[in-house]
């Protein structure tokens, strides 16, 4: 059974502080480390980029395998890791799965690197 990591929306009024603020809790650090671990692979970064930049906001797995010299099961593994990290979601339509990013998760990640205003 897979477990998705739930990250909060950084734009919400009650949210976690950016990394530049004091007090990153242990539980949040563990969750974020898992997301960074999922992103710490060039193939997964490219897949996330392809999905995020796809026309219509989603990409078919049939299109995601073309740019790589990898087998379909390997691509599926990388997509599963991104999905378990809570960065993408997928929907089966017939024989294909269509993937899309979860905007709130990417927004949360981008907010981590916000520097305090002076």
């Amino acid at each position: 059974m897979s477990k998705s990591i739930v990250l909060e929306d950084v734009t919400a009024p009650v949210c976690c502080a950016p990394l530049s603020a004091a007090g990153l809790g242990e539980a949040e650090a563990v969750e974020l480390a898992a997301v960074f671990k999922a992103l710490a692979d060039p193939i997964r970064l490219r897949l996330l980029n392809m999905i995020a930049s796809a026309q219509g906001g989603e990409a078919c797995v049939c299109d995601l395998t073309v740019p790589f010299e990898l087998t379909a099961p390997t691509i599926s593994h990388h997509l599963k890791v991104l999905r378990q990290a809570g960065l993408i979601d997928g929907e089966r339509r017939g024989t294909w799965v269509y993937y899309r990013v979860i905007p709130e998760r990417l927004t949360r990640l981008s907010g981590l690197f916000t520097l305090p205003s002076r």
Side-chain angles (χ1 to χ4, degrees):
M1 185 187 291
S2 65
K3 180 182 174 189
S4 292
I5 297 170
V6 179
L7 300 175
E8 296 178 46
D9 180 2
V10 73
T11 61
V14 179
C15 182
C16 310
L19 291 176
S20 61
L24 179 66
E26 183 178 346
E28 186 181 12
V30 169
E31 289 179 13
L32 290 172
V35 173
F36 288 129
K37 183 177 179 181
L39 291 172
D41 182 280
I43 301 296
R44 289 194 283 269
L45 279 174
R46 288 180 62 201
L47 284 168
L48 186 63
N49 172 254
M50 290 170 67
I51 295 166
S53 64
Q55 188 172 9
E58 62 183 11
C60 176
V61 70
C62 58
D63 297 324
L64 296 174
T65 57
V66 175
F68 301 99
E69 293 182 15
L70 300 170
T71 64
T74 301
I75 295 295
S76 292
H77 165 75
H78 286 297
L79 291 167
K80 177 183 172 185
V81 171
L82 290 171
R83 209 170 173 173
Q84 288 175 331
L87 297 169
I88 63 171
D89 197 10
E91 177 184 337
R92 179 170 293 283
R93 296 185 202 146
T95 59
W96 300 112
V97 178
Y98 289 80
Y99 291 95
R100 66 193 152 284
V101 298
I102 301 174
E104 299 83 19
R105 307 303 196 255
L106 296 182
T107 300
R108 171 66 182 109
L109 288 176
S110 68
L112 288 172
F113 301 104
T114 302
L115 294 174
S117 57
R118 297 181 189 235

